Amino acid sequence: MSRAFTYVILGGGVAAGYAALEFVRRRGDAALGELCIISEEAVAPYERPALSKGYLLPEGGARLPAFHTCVGANDQLLTAEWYREHGIELILGTKVISADVRRKTLVTSIGKTINYKTLIVATGARASKLEEFGVSGSDAENVCYLRNIVDADKLVRVMRSSPGGNAIVIGGGYIGMECAAALVANKIKVTIVFPGKYCMDRLFTQKIAEFYENYYTSKGVTFIKGTAVSSLEVSSGMVTTAILRDGRPLPADMVVVGIGARANTALFEGQLTLEKGGIKVNGQMQTSDASVYAVGDVAAFPVKLFGGDARRLEHVDCARRTARHAVAAVLDPTGAAGDIDYLPFFYSRVFALSWRFYGDNAGEAVHFGDLGFSSASSTPKFGAFWVSSGRIAGAFLEGGSPEEYEAIAHAVRRGAAVPDVAQLVREGLAFVVRE
Ligand code: FDA
Ligand code: NAD
């Protein structure tokens, strides 16, 4: 059995939702029946960041339909009904198992063939598994990953059945840190284990990391750094103990794993050019095949601000913007959309804290504000600028106001000149926020 659509979005995550809205905005009713979204997930696209934040609250947690896309950008709420009303077919709970770029076909797990004229690949990323690092036990009943809503439901279930228990969080990146905060809120004792010297080492400097580690420690979290869990002891389908490399046992009522993500490129390997672990695209988000575009976590695209260097950014703002840009390019093949000009933007919210980062953490880091953690300070404000070739290349700010975030973003966007680093050290945030 086969179906044919002019446009197919493969993947039903954040990028798919924002692409659909852009499509409707540009095509209006002309869009009816032309577009379909195929997703392995059983629900319409939603704002994935909610899964490690609002979804895990001990009470009154966020639940669908409240966080379908595109509410994360303060835009419309695209429920399944919205897609129906706009003639967009949602093919949910359906995994695509093969793609033939030359023939322009996709085959689903139930053997259905879907033909397209233009394909937008939005397959995102998947969580790396412990087994990839030689540790078995991922399928135990109390081991949780967090990539989709099914994972989030399992995490909530396991948390609720472990009140006052011990959680071992494996990984000190985004998932590890955000889940640790949620576990504390759910009154679970947390030990975080990771091989690096400090948490969030892909982005933070050691000084920034120390602030958050001290903050977490004040909430009762224990950090075990510079080592890894080498095995999990399982009894009756449940992990009971995590064993560290040096043989030290850590009792566990539950385990949360956040050890990185891998882009879902497998369907296109050998067919499209790959780069940085993702699918290489040009500034119009077009792959090495002119009929195929790629967006979101799976796309490695040129960032003008970094001299056209290809980057693959696993963050929600990037998914939203690359998706919109691809649709603009697809619907106007004259090239009027131009090349994407993206300012990388990441953020996180944990406990009462909230930070934003813009640009690239390349060059010399110049810290500002009070990075010394004090339990008395309920509203910390500090950050860092990264200076590269005499210009501000990146900026991080904890506890900023909307105007301050705007100011650091603007400084990075225009590559504010730093003729004298000592002045930046002296002035700190005031260097970019002028009265
Ligand atoms: P996304 O992963 O959202 O969607 C991919 C979709 O493709 C999924 O529906 C998947 O099932 C589907 N798919 C894959 N292969 C398929 C196949 N073969 N057949 C059918 N369907 C297939 N970022 C940020 O900036 N701030 C934040 O606070 C957070 N918080 C956060 C929390 C959690 C728990 C996660 C997991 C991630 C974040 N992120 C984040 C990252 C952000 O969510 C991420 O960058 C975007 O979801 C990427 O959007 P995509 O649409 O590219 O992939
Ligand atoms: P990550 O890359 O942020 O962190 C991975 C962590 O795992 C690092 O601390 C690393 O040192 C550690 N690690 C690697 N191998 C390990 C091992 N064998 N044992 C123990 N630790 C190990 O990845 P993540 O936290 O898993 O996040 C997954 C994805 O979700 C990423 O794409 C991320 O961008 C996204 N996400 C983003 C946000 C946000 O932007 N606020 C929030 C949640 C998730």
Side-chain angles (χ1 to χ4, degrees):
M1 198 162 66
S2 77
R3 306 276 312 272
F5 293 88
T6 312
Y7 306 102
V8 171
I9 299 174
L10 168 52
V14 171
Y18 283 78
L21 183 58
E22 187 67 24
F23 194 82
V24 167
R25 287 208 168 127
R26 287 175 179 267
R27 292 300 298 266
D29 286 344
L32 287 172
E34 281 190 326
L35 172 67
C36 89
I37 293 176
I38 312 173
S39 177
E40 198 177 351
E41 294 191 75
V43 294
Y46 56 87
E47 301 285 357
R48 203 164 300 282
L51 298 183
S52 52
K53 303 174 190 67
Y55 207 84
L56 304 181
L57 290 175
E59 277 163 33
R63 289 294 178 269
L64 291 175
F67 63 97
H68 279 299
T69 58
C70 298
V71 291
N74 296 322
D75 215 315
Q76 291 181 54
L77 179 74
L78 311 191
T79 58
E81 184 59 28
W82 181 91
Y83 292 91
R84 240 189 326 274
E85 279 168 8
H86 291 85
I88 296 172
E89 186 153 340
L90 280 181
I91 304 177
L92 300 177
T94 302
K95 183 171 183 167
V96 168
I97 54 164
S98 70
D100 186 330
V101 163
R102 206 171 45 82
R103 290 174 194 269
K104 302 189 181 185
T105 56
L106 305 173
V107 176
T108 72
S109 50
I110 54 160
K112 199 181 253 185
T113 299
I114 298 188
N115 300 283
Y116 62 81
K117 287 201 173 118
T118 300
L119 176 67
I120 300 182
V121 182
T123 45
R126 65 183 184 284
S128 294
K129 289 290 177 96
L130 285 171
E131 282 69 9
E132 295 169 38
F133 295 87
V135 178
S136 55
S138 280
D139 49 7
E141 282 167 39
N142 56 348
V143 172
C144 303
Y145 288 82
L146 187 54
R147 184 71 209 179
N148 55 40
I149 209 151
V150 175
D151 297 337
D153 283 336
K154 176 175 177 183
L155 177 53
V156 168
R157 224 174 29 249
V158 173
M159 267 195 317
R160 299 220 165 123
S161 61
S162 319
N166 291 305
I168 305 301
V169 172
I170 304 180
Y174 288 95
I175 293 283
M177 296 301 280
E178 292 185 5
C179 288
L183 288 160
V184 169
N186 282 274
K187 304 205 174 347
I188 292 171
K189 295 189 224 62
V190 179
T191 301
I192 306 186
V193 184
F194 54 85
K197 273 212 252 169
Y198 53 86
C199 69
M200 293 284 295
D201 57 2
R202 285 198 298 146
L203 178 65
F204 289 2
T205 63
Q206 182 152 5
K207 266 185 155 177
I208 293 175
E210 274 169 10
F211 173 88
Y212 291 98
E213 289 179 8
N214 289 334
Y215 189 103
Y216 274 62
T217 304
S218 78
K219 300 281 182 191
V221 173
T222 302
F223 286 85
I224 301 181
K225 302 185 275 187
T227 186
V229 168
S230 60
S231 64
L232 295 172
E233 282 182 7
V234 180
S235 169
S236 307
M238 306 273 279
V239 169
T240 55
T241 315
I243 312 287
L244 298 180
R245 273 185 197 145
D246 63 2
R248 192 171 141 200
L250 304 174
D253 296 295
M254 62 181 291
V255 176
V256 177
V257 187
I259 54 173
R262 287 179 198 271
N264 290 320
T265 56
L267 293 170
F268 301 98
E269 279 161 24
Q271 302 192 71
L272 300 176
T273 306
L274 304 184
E275 191 171 8
K276 303 257 160 87
I279 299 173
K280 182 180 181 177
V281 294
N282 62 20
Q284 309 247 320
M285 309 310 295
Q286 191 176 35
T287 70
S288 51
D289 182 289
S291 305
V292 183
Y293 291 70
V295 295
D297 280 10
V298 79
F301 67 101
V303 178
K304 278 190 188 174
L305 202 64
F306 308 157
D309 219 26
R311 297 289 169 105
R312 201 171 61 74
L313 302 170
E314 296 171 349
H315 292 279
V316 73
D317 180 66
C318 175
R320 293 169 182 159
R321 287 178 196 264
T322 54
R324 288 183 191 136
H325 197 81
V327 171
V330 164
L331 295 183
D332 187 352
T334 62
D339 287 341
I340 192 164
D341 187 6
Y342 182 61
L343 171 64
F345 163 47
F346 319 151
Y347 71 89
S348 183
R349 290 190 298 272
V350 287
F351 296 111
L353 303 173
S354 170
W355 59 258
R356 288 180 177 213
F357 170 84
Y358 296 92
D360 199 10
N361 56 339
E364 180 191 356
V366 175
H367 296 91
F368 59 82
D370 187 2
L371 282 109
F373 169 73
S374 146
S375 49
S377 164
S378 57
T379 52
K381 186 183 288 186
F382 61 84
F385 294 111
W386 280 261
V387 181
S388 178
S389 307
R391 299 194 169 271
I392 292 182
F396 175 96
L397 176 59
E398 164 65 48
S401 66
E403 296 73 27
E404 288 164 339
Y405 286 129
E406 183 55 42
I408 62 164
H410 185 60
V412 175
R413 159 70 73 195
R414 70 189 160 89
V418 183
D420 175 15
V421 172
Q423 184 193 350
L424 185 61
V425 172
R426 260 192 330 273
E427 295 185 7
L429 192 54
F431 188 86
V432 300
V433 183
R434 305 282 177 198
E435 298 304 317

PDB file of all heavy atoms in Angstrom, residues 82-108:
ATOM      1  N   TRP A  82      -5.819  20.772  15.634  1.00  0.00           N
ATOM      2  CA  TRP A  82      -5.276  21.854  14.783  1.00  0.00           C
ATOM      3  C   TRP A  82      -4.766  21.275  13.467  1.00  0.00           C
ATOM      4  O   TRP A  82      -5.011  21.826  12.400  1.00  0.00           O
ATOM      5  CB  TRP A  82      -4.158  22.589  15.536  1.00  0.00           C
ATOM      6  CG  TRP A  82      -3.551  23.721  14.748  1.00  0.00           C
ATOM      7  CD1 TRP A  82      -3.933  25.027  14.752  1.00  0.00           C
ATOM      8  CD2 TRP A  82      -2.454  23.633  13.807  1.00  0.00           C
ATOM      9  NE1 TRP A  82      -3.144  25.763  13.887  1.00  0.00           N
ATOM     10  CE2 TRP A  82      -2.233  24.937  13.298  1.00  0.00           C
ATOM     11  CE3 TRP A  82      -1.641  22.600  13.353  1.00  0.00           C
ATOM     12  CZ2 TRP A  82      -1.235  25.221  12.357  1.00  0.00           C
ATOM     13  CZ3 TRP A  82      -0.649  22.877  12.416  1.00  0.00           C
ATOM     14  CH2 TRP A  82      -0.453  24.183  11.931  1.00  0.00           C
ATOM     15  N   TYR A  83      -4.031  20.155  13.547  1.00  0.00           N
ATOM     16  CA  TYR A  83      -3.484  19.556  12.318  1.00  0.00           C
ATOM     17  C   TYR A  83      -4.636  19.115  11.406  1.00  0.00           C
ATOM     18  O   TYR A  83      -4.608  19.311  10.196  1.00  0.00           O
ATOM     19  CB  TYR A  83      -2.567  18.367  12.643  1.00  0.00           C
ATOM     20  CG  TYR A  83      -1.287  18.789  13.345  1.00  0.00           C
ATOM     21  CD1 TYR A  83      -1.209  18.834  14.734  1.00  0.00           C
ATOM     22  CD2 TYR A  83      -0.159  19.166  12.619  1.00  0.00           C
ATOM     23  CE1 TYR A  83      -0.048  19.224  15.376  1.00  0.00           C
ATOM     24  CE2 TYR A  83       1.011  19.575  13.254  1.00  0.00           C
ATOM     25  CZ  TYR A  83       1.059  19.601  14.640  1.00  0.00           C
ATOM     26  OH  TYR A  83       2.203  20.005  15.278  1.00  0.00           O
ATOM     27  N   ARG A  84      -5.661  18.516  12.028  1.00  0.00           N
ATOM     28  CA  ARG A  84      -6.817  18.066  11.238  1.00  0.00           C
ATOM     29  C   ARG A  84      -7.454  19.239  10.525  1.00  0.00           C
ATOM     30  O   ARG A  84      -7.686  19.209   9.318  1.00  0.00           O
ATOM     31  CB  ARG A  84      -7.845  17.392  12.165  1.00  0.00           C
ATOM     32  CG  ARG A  84      -8.121  15.954  11.783  1.00  0.00           C
ATOM     33  CD  ARG A  84      -9.275  15.325  12.519  1.00  0.00           C
ATOM     34  NE  ARG A  84      -9.483  15.737  13.884  1.00  0.00           N
ATOM     35  CZ  ARG A  84      -8.871  15.198  14.944  1.00  0.00           C
ATOM     36  NH1 ARG A  84      -7.995  14.228  14.773  1.00  0.00           N
ATOM     37  NH2 ARG A  84      -9.143  15.603  16.160  1.00  0.00           N
ATOM     38  N   GLU A  85      -7.698  20.313  11.318  1.00  0.00           N
ATOM     39  CA  GLU A  85      -8.367  21.494  10.739  1.00  0.00           C
ATOM     40  C   GLU A  85      -7.573  22.093   9.589  1.00  0.00           C
ATOM     41  O   GLU A  85      -8.137  22.708   8.685  1.00  0.00           O
ATOM     42  CB  GLU A  85      -8.528  22.581  11.815  1.00  0.00           C
ATOM     43  CG  GLU A  85      -9.710  22.358  12.716  1.00  0.00           C
ATOM     44  CD  GLU A  85      -9.656  23.282  13.927  1.00  0.00           C
ATOM     45  OE1 GLU A  85      -8.791  24.179  13.967  1.00  0.00           O
ATOM     46  OE2 GLU A  85     -10.477  23.066  14.832  1.00  0.00           O
ATOM     47  N   HIS A  86      -6.245  21.952   9.626  1.00  0.00           N
ATOM     48  CA  HIS A  86      -5.413  22.551   8.582  1.00  0.00           C
ATOM     49  C   HIS A  86      -4.995  21.553   7.517  1.00  0.00           C
ATOM     50  O   HIS A  86      -4.096  21.822   6.711  1.00  0.00           O
ATOM     51  CB  HIS A  86      -4.200  23.240   9.209  1.00  0.00           C
ATOM     52  CG  HIS A  86      -4.590  24.453   9.982  1.00  0.00           C
ATOM     53  ND1 HIS A  86      -4.995  24.403  11.289  1.00  0.00           N
ATOM     54  CD2 HIS A  86      -4.709  25.752   9.601  1.00  0.00           C
ATOM     55  CE1 HIS A  86      -5.318  25.610  11.702  1.00  0.00           C
ATOM     56  NE2 HIS A  86      -5.163  26.450  10.687  1.00  0.00           N
ATOM     57  N   GLY A  87      -5.645  20.408   7.519  1.00  0.00           N
ATOM     58  CA  GLY A  87      -5.420  19.434   6.450  1.00  0.00           C
ATOM     59  C   GLY A  87      -4.037  18.809   6.480  1.00  0.00           C
ATOM     60  O   GLY A  87      -3.546  18.338   5.446  1.00  0.00           O
ATOM     61  N   ILE A  88      -3.393  18.825   7.648  1.00  0.00           N
ATOM     62  CA  ILE A  88      -2.073  18.189   7.755  1.00  0.00           C
ATOM     63  C   ILE A  88      -2.280  16.804   8.354  1.00  0.00           C
ATOM     64  O   ILE A  88      -2.865  16.665   9.437  1.00  0.00           O
ATOM     65  CB  ILE A  88      -1.133  19.022   8.651  1.00  0.00           C
ATOM     66  CG1 ILE A  88      -0.885  20.388   8.002  1.00  0.00           C
ATOM     67  CG2 ILE A  88       0.190  18.287   8.896  1.00  0.00           C
ATOM     68  CD1 ILE A  88      -0.143  21.373   8.873  1.00  0.00           C
ATOM     69  N   GLU A  89      -1.820  15.802   7.648  1.00  0.00           N
ATOM     70  CA  GLU A  89      -2.032  14.441   8.151  1.00  0.00           C
ATOM     71  C   GLU A  89      -0.935  14.076   9.144  1.00  0.00           C
ATOM     72  O   GLU A  89       0.258  14.186   8.849  1.00  0.00           O
ATOM     73  CB  GLU A  89      -2.037  13.450   6.980  1.00  0.00           C
ATOM     74  CG  GLU A  89      -2.406  12.071   7.458  1.00  0.00           C
ATOM     75  CD  GLU A  89      -3.043  11.231   6.370  1.00  0.00           C
ATOM     76  OE1 GLU A  89      -3.551  11.783   5.372  1.00  0.00           O
ATOM     77  OE2 GLU A  89      -3.014  10.000   6.533  1.00  0.00           O
ATOM     78  N   LEU A  90      -1.366  13.678  10.330  1.00  0.00           N
ATOM     79  CA  LEU A  90      -0.412  13.206  11.345  1.00  0.00           C
ATOM     80  C   LEU A  90      -0.433  11.692  11.311  1.00  0.00           C
ATOM     81  O   LEU A  90      -1.450  11.080  11.630  1.00  0.00           O
ATOM     82  CB  LEU A  90      -0.869  13.646  12.742  1.00  0.00           C
ATOM     83  CG  LEU A  90      -0.598  15.059  13.224  1.00  0.00           C
ATOM     84  CD1 LEU A  90      -1.121  15.223  14.647  1.00  0.00           C
ATOM     85  CD2 LEU A  90       0.889  15.396  13.166  1.00  0.00           C
ATOM     86  N   ILE A  91       0.678  11.102  10.919  1.00  0.00           N
ATOM     87  CA  ILE A  91       0.763   9.639  10.930  1.00  0.00           C
ATOM     88  C   ILE A  91       1.584   9.288  12.170  1.00  0.00           C
ATOM     89  O   ILE A  91       2.820   9.359  12.161  1.00  0.00           O
ATOM     90  CB  ILE A  91       1.408   9.107   9.636  1.00  0.00           C
ATOM     91  CG1 ILE A  91       0.615   9.613   8.418  1.00  0.00           C
ATOM     92  CG2 ILE A  91       1.497   7.592   9.656  1.00  0.00           C
ATOM     93  CD1 ILE A  91       1.193   9.203   7.067  1.00  0.00           C
ATOM     94  N   LEU A  92       0.886   8.992  13.259  1.00  0.00           N
ATOM     95  CA  LEU A  92       1.548   8.836  14.557  1.00  0.00           C
ATOM     96  C   LEU A  92       1.810   7.370  14.875  1.00  0.00           C
ATOM     97  O   LEU A  92       1.247   6.467  14.248  1.00  0.00           O
ATOM     98  CB  LEU A  92       0.697   9.476  15.653  1.00  0.00           C
ATOM     99  CG  LEU A  92       0.439  10.987  15.487  1.00  0.00           C
ATOM    100  CD1 LEU A  92      -0.472  11.503  16.594  1.00  0.00           C
ATOM    101  CD2 LEU A  92       1.750  11.763  15.474  1.00  0.00           C
ATOM    102  N   GLY A  93       2.655   7.147  15.879  1.00  0.00           N
ATOM    103  CA  GLY A  93       2.952   5.786  16.323  1.00  0.00           C
ATOM    104  C   GLY A  93       3.520   4.950  15.192  1.00  0.00           C
ATOM    105  O   GLY A  93       3.346   3.731  15.154  1.00  0.00           O
ATOM    106  N   THR A  94       4.218   5.589  14.270  1.00  0.00           N
ATOM    107  CA  THR A  94       4.686   4.905  13.048  1.00  0.00           C
ATOM    108  C   THR A  94       6.160   5.190  12.821  1.00  0.00           C
ATOM    109  O   THR A  94       6.545   6.339  12.599  1.00  0.00           O
ATOM    110  CB  THR A  94       3.874   5.415  11.830  1.00  0.00           C
ATOM    111  OG1 THR A  94       2.491   5.155  12.086  1.00  0.00           O
ATOM    112  CG2 THR A  94       4.296   4.723  10.550  1.00  0.00           C
ATOM    113  N   LYS A  95       6.952   4.141  12.871  1.00  0.00           N
ATOM    114  CA  LYS A  95       8.390   4.321  12.651  1.00  0.00           C
ATOM    115  C   LYS A  95       8.716   4.129  11.175  1.00  0.00           C
ATOM    116  O   LYS A  95       8.227   3.178  10.548  1.00  0.00           O
ATOM    117  CB  LYS A  95       9.152   3.294  13.498  1.00  0.00           C
ATOM    118  CG  LYS A  95      10.641   3.442  13.396  1.00  0.00           C
ATOM    119  CD  LYS A  95      11.357   2.559  14.400  1.00  0.00           C
ATOM    120  CE  LYS A  95      12.856   2.826  14.276  1.00  0.00           C
ATOM    121  NZ  LYS A  95      13.616   2.292  15.350  1.00  0.00           N
ATOM    122  N   VAL A  96       9.522   5.028  10.634  1.00  0.00           N
ATOM    123  CA  VAL A  96      10.023   4.826   9.272  1.00  0.00           C
ATOM    124  C   VAL A  96      11.257   3.940   9.383  1.00  0.00           C
ATOM    125  O   VAL A  96      12.181   4.243  10.151  1.00  0.00           O
ATOM    126  CB  VAL A  96      10.348   6.180   8.599  1.00  0.00           C
ATOM    127  CG1 VAL A  96      11.130   5.981   7.309  1.00  0.00           C
ATOM    128  CG2 VAL A  96       9.057   6.937   8.334  1.00  0.00           C
ATOM    129  N   ILE A  97      11.255   2.836   8.642  1.00  0.00           N
ATOM    130  CA  ILE A  97      12.376   1.905   8.789  1.00  0.00           C
ATOM    131  C   ILE A  97      13.363   1.956   7.622  1.00  0.00           C
ATOM    132  O   ILE A  97      14.473   1.447   7.719  1.00  0.00           O
ATOM    133  CB  ILE A  97      11.896   0.448   9.013  1.00  0.00           C
ATOM    134  CG1 ILE A  97      10.933   0.027   7.895  1.00  0.00           C
ATOM    135  CG2 ILE A  97      11.257   0.281  10.382  1.00  0.00           C
ATOM    136  CD1 ILE A  97      10.741  -1.476   7.826  1.00  0.00           C
ATOM    137  N   SER A  98      12.933   2.563   6.498  1.00  0.00           N
ATOM    138  CA  SER A  98      13.932   2.766   5.438  1.00  0.00           C
ATOM    139  C   SER A  98      13.533   3.964   4.577  1.00  0.00           C
ATOM    140  O   SER A  98      12.356   4.352   4.520  1.00  0.00           O
ATOM    141  CB  SER A  98      14.093   1.512   4.581  1.00  0.00           C
ATOM    142  OG  SER A  98      12.951   1.303   3.795  1.00  0.00           O
ATOM    143  N   ALA A  99      14.550   4.550   3.975  1.00  0.00           N
ATOM    144  CA  ALA A  99      14.333   5.709   3.104  1.00  0.00           C
ATOM    145  C   ALA A  99      15.143   5.491   1.838  1.00  0.00           C
ATOM    146  O   ALA A  99      16.265   4.986   1.898  1.00  0.00           O
ATOM    147  CB  ALA A  99      14.810   6.979   3.812  1.00  0.00           C
ATOM    148  N   ASP A 100      14.546   5.854   0.707  1.00  0.00           N
ATOM    149  CA  ASP A 100      15.276   5.775  -0.556  1.00  0.00           C
ATOM    150  C   ASP A 100      15.221   7.167  -1.176  1.00  0.00           C
ATOM    151  O   ASP A 100      14.199   7.589  -1.721  1.00  0.00           O
ATOM    152  CB  ASP A 100      14.629   4.724  -1.478  1.00  0.00           C
ATOM    153  CG  ASP A 100      15.434   4.504  -2.745  1.00  0.00           C
ATOM    154  OD1 ASP A 100      16.100   5.461  -3.205  1.00  0.00           O
ATOM    155  OD2 ASP A 100      15.409   3.377  -3.273  1.00  0.00           O
ATOM    156  N   VAL A 101      16.321   7.876  -1.032  1.00  0.00           N
ATOM    157  CA  VAL A 101      16.356   9.273  -1.450  1.00  0.00           C
ATOM    158  C   VAL A 101      16.246   9.396  -2.974  1.00  0.00           C
ATOM    159  O   VAL A 101      15.640  10.326  -3.496  1.00  0.00           O
ATOM    160  CB  VAL A 101      17.663   9.905  -0.900  1.00  0.00           C
ATOM    161  CG1 VAL A 101      17.995  11.196  -1.588  1.00  0.00           C
ATOM    162  CG2 VAL A 101      17.544  10.110   0.607  1.00  0.00           C
ATOM    163  N   ARG A 102      16.816   8.437  -3.698  1.00  0.00           N
ATOM    164  CA  ARG A 102      16.781   8.501  -5.162  1.00  0.00           C
ATOM    165  C   ARG A 102      15.341   8.328  -5.661  1.00  0.00           C
ATOM    166  O   ARG A 102      14.855   9.040  -6.509  1.00  0.00           O
ATOM    167  CB  ARG A 102      17.696   7.420  -5.739  1.00  0.00           C
ATOM    168  CG  ARG A 102      18.235   7.741  -7.118  1.00  0.00           C
ATOM    169  CD  ARG A 102      19.293   6.728  -7.520  1.00  0.00           C
ATOM    170  NE  ARG A 102      18.907   5.349  -7.230  1.00  0.00           N
ATOM    171  CZ  ARG A 102      18.131   4.600  -8.000  1.00  0.00           C
ATOM    172  NH1 ARG A 102      17.640   5.088  -9.117  1.00  0.00           N
ATOM    173  NH2 ARG A 102      17.843   3.362  -7.651  1.00  0.00           N
ATOM    174  N   ARG A 103      14.634   7.360  -5.050  1.00  0.00           N
ATOM    175  CA  ARG A 103      13.239   7.120  -5.470  1.00  0.00           C
ATOM    176  C   ARG A 103      12.235   8.023  -4.754  1.00  0.00           C
ATOM    177  O   ARG A 103      11.039   7.968  -5.015  1.00  0.00           O
ATOM    178  CB  ARG A 103      12.848   5.677  -5.153  1.00  0.00           C
ATOM    179  CG  ARG A 103      13.526   4.663  -6.016  1.00  0.00           C
ATOM    180  CD  ARG A 103      13.173   3.274  -5.496  1.00  0.00           C
ATOM    181  NE  ARG A 103      14.046   2.283  -6.065  1.00  0.00           N
ATOM    182  CZ  ARG A 103      13.791   1.611  -7.184  1.00  0.00           C
ATOM    183  NH1 ARG A 103      12.663   1.796  -7.821  1.00  0.00           N
ATOM    184  NH2 ARG A 103      14.651   0.741  -7.651  1.00  0.00           N
ATOM    185  N   LYS A 104      12.707   8.762  -3.747  1.00  0.00           N
ATOM    186  CA  LYS A 104      11.846   9.651  -2.937  1.00  0.00           C
ATOM    187  C   LYS A 104      10.742   8.869  -2.235  1.00  0.00           C
ATOM    188  O   LYS A 104       9.546   9.199  -2.347  1.00  0.00           O
ATOM    189  CB  LYS A 104      11.253  10.769  -3.789  1.00  0.00           C
ATOM    190  CG  LYS A 104      12.324  11.609  -4.471  1.00  0.00           C
ATOM    191  CD  LYS A 104      11.708  12.811  -5.114  1.00  0.00           C
ATOM    192  CE  LYS A 104      12.787  13.608  -5.809  1.00  0.00           C
ATOM    193  NZ  LYS A 104      12.332  14.829  -6.359  1.00  0.00           N
ATOM    194  N   THR A 105      11.149   7.830  -1.546  1.00  0.00           N
ATOM    195  CA  THR A 105      10.173   7.020  -0.806  1.00  0.00           C
ATOM    196  C   THR A 105      10.661   6.725   0.601  1.00  0.00           C
ATOM    197  O   THR A 105      11.869   6.653   0.860  1.00  0.00           O
ATOM    198  CB  THR A 105       9.940   5.648  -1.500  1.00  0.00           C
ATOM    199  OG1 THR A 105      11.193   4.993  -1.643  1.00  0.00           O
ATOM    200  CG2 THR A 105       9.263   5.792  -2.847  1.00  0.00           C
ATOM    201  N   LEU A 106       9.675   6.537   1.474  1.00  0.00           N
ATOM    202  CA  LEU A 106       9.934   6.090   2.846  1.00  0.00           C
ATOM    203  C   LEU A 106       9.096   4.839   3.049  1.00  0.00           C
ATOM    204  O   LEU A 106       7.989   4.737   2.499  1.00  0.00           O
ATOM    205  CB  LEU A 106       9.473   7.149   3.858  1.00  0.00           C
ATOM    206  CG  LEU A 106      10.043   8.564   3.705  1.00  0.00           C
ATOM    207  CD1 LEU A 106       9.336   9.506   4.685  1.00  0.00           C
ATOM    208  CD2 LEU A 106      11.544   8.563   3.952  1.00  0.00           C
ATOM    209  N   VAL A 107       9.617   3.904   3.833  1.00  0.00           N
ATOM    210  CA  VAL A 107       8.822   2.710   4.151  1.00  0.00           C
ATOM    211  C   VAL A 107       8.643   2.648   5.663  1.00  0.00           C
ATOM    212  O   VAL A 107       9.606   2.817   6.422  1.00  0.00           O
ATOM    213  CB  VAL A 107       9.512   1.422   3.632  1.00  0.00           C
ATOM    214  CG1 VAL A 107       8.726   0.185   4.049  1.00  0.00           C
ATOM    215  CG2 VAL A 107       9.667   1.473   2.117  1.00  0.00           C
ATOM    216  N   THR A 108       7.404   2.439   6.096  1.00  0.00           N
ATOM    217  CA  THR A 108       7.129   2.411   7.535  1.00  0.00           C
ATOM    218  C   THR A 108       7.200   0.976   8.067  1.00  0.00           C
ATOM    219  O   THR A 108       7.244   0.019   7.297  1.00  0.00           O
ATOM    220  CB  THR A 108       5.727   2.986   7.851  1.00  0.00           C
ATOM    221  OG1 THR A 108       4.760   2.028   7.398  1.00  0.00           O
ATOM    222  CG2 THR A 108       5.498   4.324   7.182  1.00  0.00           C
TER     223      THR A 108
END
